[in-house]
Amino acid sequence: MTIKVGIADTTFARVDMASAAIKKLNEMTSKIKIIRYTVPGMKDLPVACKKLIEEEGCEIVMALGMPGGKDKDKVCAHEASQGLMMAQLMTNKHIIEVFVHEDEAKDEKELAWLAKRRAEEHAENVYYLLFNQKFLEKNAGKGLRQGFEDVGAARE
Amino acid sequence: MTIKVGIADTTFARVDMASAAIKKLNEMTSKIKIIRYTVPGMKDLPVACKKLIEEEGCEIVMALGMPGGKDKDKVCAHEASQGLMMAQLMTNKHIIEVFVHEDEAKDEKELAWLAKRRAEEHAENVYYLLFNQKFLEKNAGKGLRQGFEDVGAARE
Amino acid sequence: MTIKVGIADTTFARVDMASAAIKKLNEMTSKIKIIRYTVPGMKDLPVACKKLIEEEGCEIVMALGMPGGKDKDKVCAHEASQGLMMAQLMTNKHIIEVFVHEDEAKDEKELAWLAKRRAEEHAENVYYLLFNQKFLEKNAGKGLRQGFEDVGAARE
Amino acid sequence: MTIKVGIADTTFARVDMASAAIKKLNEMTSKIKIIRYTVPGMKDLPVACKKLIEEEGCEIVMALGMPGGKDKDKVCAHEASQGLMMAQLMTNKHIIEVFVHEDEAKDEKELAWLAKRRAEEHAENVYYLLFNQKFLEKNAGKGLRQGFEDVGAARE
Amino acid sequence: MTIKVGIADTTFARVDMASAAIKKLNEMTSKIKIIRYTVPGMKDLPVACKKLIEEEGCEIVMALGMPGGKDKDKVCAHEASQGLMMAQLMTNKHIIEVFVHEDEAKDEKELAWLAKRRAEEHAENVYYLLFNQKFLEKNAGKGLRQGFEDVGAARE
């Protein structure tokens, strides 16, 4: 039986992170079915994710967003994150937040690279949560990162 | 069968954004019925939207507000946004937040233009969410904005 | 049949805003019954309002508070506001927040004037929400304020 | 019939505020039964209070905590306060928050005095909420404070 | 009958705090069964904890995380804390938050020491909450800390 995975993304973002995530997921497994739901902005993502879970039957959802660099945008990202948190607690399902802040990258080219790379690496986390939780347990405390380099475990 | 669309707005705002949104919606489709609910201020919007959904049967709601430029006003906007987020999660319906901050515009004339333009462009998003989700999916990651110019996709 | 209106206020506030609000409400209509509930501080207001709605049968509630001027007080006001927001969403009833910050007025005399005036003008809003929603709709986007002068609609 | 009053406190705090509150409550009335629940830190208080209400049958609870002076501690206090707010709204019972910030006092001696005094004065509020709400109503808008001096009503 | 204790941790953290906590718990008692659940990051912890409680039957959970030193990381930690708070209120079970901020330690070696020590001392708190609440009550107001030195009660 296939497991439904929701992919919620936005027209506000400046990179098509969803396609990168979907490609990675389909490379890793054929046991899932992707359901995509595009909304205007980040703050529309939480209810979109909840609908993917409760109305579409998704077992897990990725929420892909790209906050701008202004203070206002950071407040929006915070509100969206709180909504994603609440949506998870109301459904007992994971929603993997994949947010890339515009000011994390030095130029548009790096932004595109970072956004896709982070989406792919979080797609891998979705796979592990669904099919291989032991992999995550083995990497507990290892300082893994999504997008830029892993920082690694603290040297003792 | 017509779909009910709620429009919640305030007497605090300095521009009649609701009329602009309603006009745009009616231009785009005749398959909807508008239900308008005006409240005093932004923080009255979340329960107004929830009542529009649960008591009036709206399938989607627009929440139109205009925070002032002071720090206190920004905190109010944040509280209203959190309430709109929660109202969506409690109802599984979209509430499209259309907030225009007074300090986004250089003068009253631009403020009026911006507020109406953003209301119209978000009215288009309401139309797409109800009747043409494929349009949103095609524009995923394209850097769309409501009000000012779209910023576009990041150049790779 | 009379409609029950709740009035929740605090011993922390430095002005008896409740009496001003009650007087105004009783001047405007005889179709309501006031139920008053005084608590120690602002953060006790949300549950007091929820009890007024759920245990006393109030259709709408005014929450009257007066945050002090220190940073700590502003955080308290934010927490109280979030609680009032949640209480509204849990009950589908309006709770009109009437907060007057100590630093909004230049001296104690103006503070007393402002607090009573804002309480009265929000009492009028309660009346409109209950009995004359068309009045609010007619004033949508008109830049109305409670306490100090209305700022008016943006000039186009 | 005795009314159960919950007292939740922490090992993190530097003053035994609970004993001061319990002593005061027992001096004021014999119609209550105290149930105490000590947890490690402030952020453990909200669920402790909710358990006191829902599992132990408390009619009202005091939550006694002492945030440290660092920025991190202030964020913790904010999170704990939000939790106490939510716990009240989920149970329709008052939880009287008695937080003393380390930086409110000039030295350890004043801190101990302040913490106990505030706990006692809030214990009085618990008594009034349970047995004499008219007393609170008579003092509405009087600028009462717990711990330091009352500031009094604004002079008109 | 054994009591189930959940241990939720992350691959983002740079120290394996879970192993330290589990070792300590097993040293203190044989009356518990540990259920471990590793997730990618801090913001995945709240729903993981709720699943441990509701789907795995845990009586109490430890949530182990390590926020980075940047502003963005502090916002994430705040969101995760709010989620843990809510998860506790939705389940009436304690979730002991054990967060170590990277900037609390002067180097990686101290970070590793601090993270493990704090995890161990909070494991002791889990033991006391489950089996010896009187110990916590005896230490109420004693200024206990987890990780660094206890600060002790305020000198009167």
Side-chain angles (χ1 to χ4, degrees):
Chain A
M1 208 187 83
T2 58
I3 290 172
K4 288 181 189 166
V5 175
I7 305 284
D9 66 340
T10 70
T11 63
F12 185 97
R14 303 185 61 195
V15 179
D16 179 7
M17 297 153 83
S19 296
I22 292 168
K23 185 159 175 284
K24 173 60 74 177
L25 280 167
N26 283 330
E27 280 168 20
M28 292 185 89
T29 177
S30 59
K31 286 183 282 184
I32 59 169
K33 179 171 179 250
I34 303 287
I35 301 181
R36 184 168 175 180
Y37 187 1
T38 306
V39 293
M42 253 183 323
K43 294 208 268 192
D44 307 311
L45 286 175
V47 75
C49 293
K50 189 150 174 281
K51 287 162 78 82
L52 282 168
I53 293 166
E54 293 184 340
E55 299 175 2
E56 303 295 331
C58 292
E59 180 59 29
I60 192 168
V61 179
M62 295 181 76
L64 307 153
M66 188 177 284
K70 284 182 279 190
D71 276 358
K72 253 181 212 82
D73 299 312
K74 295 195 185 307
V75 176
C76 284
H78 178 49
E79 290 157 356
S81 287
Q82 290 179 314
L84 293 174
M85 186 65 72
M86 202 64 206
Q88 292 177 79
L89 295 174
M90 290 167 96
T91 58
N92 275 8
K93 302 290 180 199
H94 283 286
I95 299 173
I96 301 300
E97 179 189 306
V98 189
F99 281 7
V100 178
H101 294 253
E102 265 201 74
D103 54 8
E104 284 186 84
K106 63 177 190 289
D107 57 27
E108 298 198 8
K109 191 173 166 166
E110 192 184 65
L111 185 64
W113 169 83
L114 175 63
K116 288 180 186 172
R117 183 80 189 116
R118 187 169 292 161
E120 287 164 3
E121 294 201 307
H122 270 303
E124 292 175 22
N125 282 331
V126 167
Y127 174 83
Y128 296 131
L129 281 166
L130 286 177
F131 300 114
N132 190 358
Q133 294 195 6
K134 279 291 159 198
F135 179 87
L136 293 169
E137 192 176 320
K138 264 180 243 162
N139 283 285
K142 296 289 191 218
L144 302 194
R145 295 294 180 271
Q146 291 77 36
F148 293 119
E149 285 290 288
D150 294 339
V151 296
R155 280 159 303 179
E156 295 182 60
Chain B
M1 207 187 82
T2 57
I3 290 171
K4 290 181 188 166
V5 175
I7 305 284
D9 67 339
T10 69
T11 63
F12 186 97
R14 304 186 59 195
V15 179
D16 179 8
M17 299 153 82
S19 296
I22 292 168
K23 184 158 176 285
K24 172 61 74 178
L25 280 167
N26 283 329
E27 279 167 20
M28 292 186 88
T29 178
S30 59
K31 287 182 283 185
I32 59 169
K33 180 171 179 252
I34 303 287
I35 302 181
R36 185 169 174 178
Y37 187 1
T38 306
V39 293
M42 253 183 323
K43 293 207 268 191
D44 306 311
L45 286 174
V47 75
C49 293
K50 189 149 174 279
K51 287 162 78 82
L52 282 167
I53 292 166
E54 293 184 339
E55 298 174 3
E56 303 295 331
C58 292
E59 179 59 27
I60 191 167
V61 179
M62 294 181 77
L64 308 153
M66 188 176 284
K70 284 182 279 191
D71 276 359
K72 253 180 213 83
D73 299 313
K74 294 194 186 308
V75 175
C76 283
H78 178 49
E79 290 157 358
S81 286
Q82 290 179 313
L84 294 173
M85 186 64 72
M86 201 65 206
Q88 292 177 78
L89 295 175
M90 290 167 97
T91 59
N92 276 8
K93 302 291 181 198
H94 283 287
I95 299 173
I96 302 299
E97 179 190 306
V98 189
F99 282 7
V100 178
H101 294 254
E102 266 202 73
D103 55 8
E104 284 187 85
K106 62 177 189 291
D107 56 27
E108 297 198 8
K109 191 175 166 165
E110 192 183 65
L111 185 65
W113 168 83
L114 175 63
K116 288 179 186 173
R117 183 82 190 114
R118 187 169 290 162
E120 287 163 3
E121 295 202 307
H122 271 302
E124 293 175 22
N125 282 332
V126 166
Y127 174 83
Y128 297 132
L129 282 167
L130 286 177
F131 301 114
N132 190 358
Q133 293 196 5
K134 279 291 159 197
F135 179 87
L136 293 169
E137 192 175 321
K138 264 179 242 160
N139 283 285
K142 296 291 191 216
L144 302 194
R145 295 294 181 269
Q146 291 77 36
F148 293 118
E149 284 290 287
D150 293 339
V151 297
R155 281 159 303 178
E156 297 182 58
Chain C
M1 208 187 82
T2 56
I3 291 172
K4 288 181 189 165
V5 176
I7 304 285
D9 67 339
T10 70
T11 62
F12 185 97
R14 304 186 58 195
V15 180
D16 179 8
M17 300 154 81
S19 295
I22 292 168
K23 183 157 176 286
K24 172 61 74 179
L25 280 167
N26 283 330
E27 280 168 20
M28 292 186 88
T29 179
S30 59
K31 287 183 282 187
I32 58 169
K33 179 171 179 252
I34 303 286
I35 301 181
R36 185 169 175 180
Y37 187 0
T38 306
V39 292
M42 253 183 324
K43 293 207 268 191
D44 306 310
L45 286 174
V47 75
C49 293
K50 190 150 175 278
K51 287 162 78 84
L52 281 167
I53 292 166
E54 294 185 338
E55 298 175 2
E56 302 294 331
C58 292
E59 179 58 28
I60 192 168
V61 179
M62 295 182 77
L64 308 153
M66 187 176 285
K70 284 181 280 188
D71 276 359
K72 252 180 214 85
D73 299 311
K74 295 194 186 309
V75 175
C76 283
H78 178 48
E79 290 157 358
S81 287
Q82 290 179 313
L84 294 173
M85 186 64 72
M86 201 64 206
Q88 291 177 79
L89 295 175
M90 290 166 97
T91 59
N92 276 7
K93 303 291 180 198
H94 283 287
I95 299 173
I96 301 300
E97 178 190 305
V98 189
F99 281 6
V100 178
H101 294 254
E102 266 202 71
D103 55 8
E104 283 187 84
K106 63 177 188 291
D107 57 27
E108 297 197 8
K109 192 177 165 161
E110 192 184 65
L111 185 66
W113 169 83
L114 176 63
K116 288 178 186 173
R117 183 83 190 113
R118 187 169 289 160
E120 286 164 2
E121 295 202 308
H122 270 302
E124 293 175 22
N125 282 332
V126 167
Y127 174 83
Y128 296 132
L129 282 167
L130 286 177
F131 300 114
N132 190 358
Q133 294 196 4
K134 279 291 159 197
F135 179 87
L136 293 169
E137 192 176 321
K138 263 179 243 161
N139 283 285
K142 296 291 191 216
L144 303 193
R145 295 293 179 269
Q146 290 77 36
F148 294 119
E149 284 291 287
D150 293 341
V151 298
R155 281 158 303 178
E156 297 182 59
Chain D
M1 207 187 82
T2 57
I3 291 173
K4 288 181 189 166
V5 175
I7 304 284
D9 68 340
T10 69
T11 62
F12 185 97
R14 303 185 61 195
V15 179
D16 179 8
M17 300 154 81
S19 295
I22 292 168
K23 185 158 175 286
K24 173 59 74 179
L25 280 166
N26 284 330
E27 279 168 20
M28 293 186 87
T29 178
S30 60
K31 286 183 282 185
I32 58 169
K33 180 172 178 250
I34 304 285
I35 302 181
R36 184 168 176 180
Y37 187 0
T38 306
V39 292
M42 253 183 323
K43 294 208 267 192
D44 306 311
L45 286 174
V47 74
C49 293
K50 191 152 174 278
K51 287 161 78 82
L52 281 167
I53 292 166
E54 294 185 338
E55 298 174 2
E56 303 294 332
C58 291
E59 180 58 28
I60 192 168
V61 179
M62 296 181 76
L64 308 153
M66 187 176 284
K70 285 182 279 188
D71 277 359
K72 251 180 215 84
D73 299 313
K74 294 194 186 308
V75 175
C76 283
H78 178 48
E79 290 157 356
S81 287
Q82 289 179 315
L84 293 173
M85 185 64 73
M86 201 65 207
Q88 291 177 80
L89 295 174
M90 290 166 97
T91 59
N92 275 7
K93 302 292 180 199
H94 283 287
I95 299 172
I96 302 299
E97 180 190 305
V98 189
F99 282 6
V100 178
H101 293 253
E102 266 203 71
D103 54 8
E104 284 186 83
K106 62 176 190 291
D107 56 27
E108 297 198 6
K109 193 177 165 162
E110 192 183 65
L111 185 66
W113 169 83
L114 175 64
K116 287 178 187 174
R117 183 82 189 113
R118 187 168 291 160
E120 287 163 3
E121 294 202 307
H122 270 303
E124 292 175 22
N125 282 331
V126 167
Y127 174 83
Y128 296 131
L129 282 167
L130 286 177
F131 300 113
N132 190 358
Q133 294 195 4
K134 279 291 160 198
F135 179 87
L136 293 169
E137 193 177 320
K138 263 180 244 162
N139 283 284
K142 296 290 191 217
L144 302 194
R145 295 293 180 270
Q146 291 76 36
F148 293 119
E149 285 290 287
D150 293 341
V151 297
R155 281 159 302 179
E156 295 182 60
Chain E
M1 207 188 84
T2 58
I3 290 173
K4 288 180 188 166
V5 175
I7 305 284
D9 67 339
T10 70
T11 63
F12 185 96
R14 303 185 61 196
V15 179
D16 179 8
M17 298 154 82
S19 296
I22 292 168
K23 185 158 175 285
K24 172 60 73 179
L25 280 167
N26 283 329
E27 279 167 19
M28 292 185 87
T29 178
S30 59
K31 286 182 282 184
I32 59 169
K33 179 170 179 253
I34 302 287
I35 302 181
R36 184 168 176 180
Y37 187 1
T38 305
V39 293
M42 255 183 321
K43 294 208 268 192
D44 307 311
L45 285 175
V47 75
C49 293
K50 190 151 175 279
K51 287 162 78 82
L52 282 167
I53 292 166
E54 293 185 339
E55 298 175 2
E56 303 295 331
C58 292
E59 180 58 30
I60 192 168
V61 179
M62 296 181 77
L64 307 153
M66 188 177 284
K70 285 182 279 189
D71 276 358
K72 253 181 214 81
D73 299 312
K74 295 194 186 306
V75 175
C76 283
H78 178 48
E79 291 157 357
S81 287
Q82 290 179 314
L84 294 174
M85 186 64 72
M86 201 65 206
Q88 291 176 79
L89 294 174
M90 291 167 97
T91 58
N92 276 8
K93 302 292 180 198
H94 282 286
I95 299 172
I96 301 300
E97 180 189 305
V98 189
F99 281 6
V100 178
H101 294 253
E102 266 202 72
D103 54 8
E104 284 186 83
K106 63 176 191 290
D107 57 27
E108 298 198 6
K109 192 175 165 162
E110 191 184 65
L111 185 66
W113 168 83
L114 175 63
K116 288 179 186 172
R117 184 80 190 117
R118 187 169 291 161
E120 287 163 3
E121 295 202 306
H122 270 303
E124 293 175 22
N125 282 332
V126 167
Y127 174 83
Y128 296 131
L129 282 166
L130 287 177
F131 301 113
N132 190 358
Q133 295 196 5
K134 279 290 160 198
F135 179 87
L136 293 169
E137 193 176 320
K138 264 179 244 162
N139 283 285
K142 296 289 191 219
L144 303 194
R145 295 295 180 268
Q146 292 76 36
F148 294 119
E149 285 290 287
D150 293 340
V151 296
R155 281 159 301 179
E156 292 181 62

